[in-house]
Coordinates of all heavy atoms in Angstrom, one line a residue:
I191 N 108.0 104.5 96.0 CA 107.2 104.2 94.8 C 106.1 103.2 95.1 O 105.0 103.4 94.7 CB 108.1 103.7 93.7 CG1 109.0 104.9 93.2 CG2 107.3 103.2 92.5 CD1 110.1 104.6 92.3
E192 N 106.4 102.3 96.0 CA 105.4 101.3 96.4 C 104.2 102.0 97.1 O 103.1 101.7 96.9 CB 106.0 100.2 97.2 CG 104.9 99.1 97.5 CD 105.5 97.9 98.1 OE1 106.7 97.5 97.7 OE2 104.9 97.3 99.0
R193 N 104.6 102.9 98.0 CA 103.6 103.6 98.8 C 102.8 104.6 98.0 O 101.5 104.6 98.1 CB 104.3 104.3 100.0 CG 103.3 104.9 101.0 CD 104.1 105.8 102.0 NE 104.7 106.9 101.3 CZ 105.6 107.7 101.8 NH1 106.0 107.6 103.1 NH2 106.2 108.7 101.1
D194 N 103.4 105.4 97.1 CA 102.7 106.5 96.5 C 102.5 106.4 95.0 O 101.9 107.2 94.4 CB 103.6 107.8 96.7 CG 103.8 108.2 98.2 OD1 103.0 107.6 99.0 OD2 104.7 108.9 98.5
G195 N 103.1 105.3 94.4 CA 103.0 105.2 92.9 C 104.1 106.0 92.3 O 104.7 106.9 92.9
S196 N 104.4 105.7 91.1 CA 105.6 106.3 90.4 C 105.3 107.7 89.9 O 104.2 107.9 89.3 CB 106.0 105.4 89.2 OG 106.9 106.0 88.4
D197 N 106.1 108.6 90.2 CA 106.0 110.0 89.7 C 107.4 110.6 89.6 O 108.0 111.2 90.5 CB 105.2 110.9 90.6 CG 105.0 112.3 90.1 OD1 105.6 112.6 89.1 OD2 104.2 113.1 90.7
P198 N 108.1 110.3 88.5 CA 109.6 110.6 88.3 C 109.9 112.1 88.5 O 111.1 112.4 88.7 CB 109.9 110.1 86.9 CG 108.7 109.3 86.4 CD 107.5 109.7 87.2
R199 N 108.9 113.0 88.4 CA 109.3 114.4 88.6 C 109.5 114.7 90.0 O 110.1 115.7 90.4 CB 108.2 115.3 88.0 CG 108.2 115.4 86.5 CD 107.1 116.4 86.0 NE 105.8 116.1 86.7 CZ 104.8 116.8 86.6 NH1 104.8 117.9 85.9 NH2 103.7 116.5 87.2
R200 N 108.9 114.0 90.9 CA 109.0 114.3 92.4 C 110.4 114.2 92.8 O 111.1 113.2 92.5 CB 108.1 113.3 93.2 CG 106.7 113.8 93.4 CD 105.8 112.8 94.0 NE 106.5 112.2 95.2 CZ 105.8 111.4 96.1 NH1 104.5 111.2 95.9 NH2 106.4 110.9 97.1
W201 N 110.9 115.1 93.7 CA 112.3 115.1 94.1 C 112.6 113.8 94.9 O 113.7 113.4 94.8 CB 112.7 116.4 94.8 CG 112.0 116.8 96.1 CD1 111.8 116.0 97.2 CD2 111.5 118.1 96.4 NE1 111.1 116.7 98.2 CE2 111.0 118.0 97.7 CE3 111.4 119.3 95.8 CZ2 110.4 119.1 98.4 CZ3 110.8 120.4 96.5 CH2 110.3 120.3 97.7
D202 N 111.6 113.3 95.6 CA 111.9 112.1 96.4 C 111.9 110.8 95.6 O 112.1 109.7 96.1 CB 111.0 112.0 97.6 CG 109.5 111.8 97.2 OD1 109.2 112.0 96.0 OD2 108.7 111.6 98.1
Q203 N 111.7 110.9 94.3 CA 111.8 109.7 93.4 C 112.9 109.8 92.4 O 113.0 109.0 91.5 CB 110.5 109.5 92.7 CG 109.3 109.2 93.7 CD 108.1 108.6 93.0 OE1 108.1 108.2 91.9 NE2 107.0 108.6 93.7
Q204 N 113.8 110.8 92.7 CA 115.0 111.0 91.8 C 116.2 110.5 92.5 O 116.5 110.9 93.6 CB 115.1 112.5 91.4 CG 114.0 112.9 90.5 CD 113.9 114.4 90.3 OE1 114.8 115.1 90.7 NE2 112.8 114.8 89.8
R205 N 116.8 109.5 91.9 CA 118.0 108.8 92.5 C 119.0 109.8 93.0 O 119.5 109.7 94.2 CB 118.6 107.8 91.5 CG 119.8 107.0 92.0 CD 120.1 105.9 91.1 NE 119.1 104.9 91.0 CZ 118.9 103.9 91.9 NH1 119.8 103.8 92.9 NH2 117.9 103.1 91.9
A206 N 119.4 110.8 92.2 CA 120.5 111.7 92.6 C 120.1 112.5 93.8 O 120.9 112.7 94.7 CB 120.8 112.6 91.4

Side-chain angles (χ1 to χ4, degrees):
I191 291 168
E192 184 169 326
R193 188 191 57 192
D194 301 341
S196 169
D197 182 353
R199 281 183 314 171
R200 271 175 45 169
W201 61 47
D202 61 351
Q203 295 196 15
Q204 290 166 15
R205 179 169 295 277

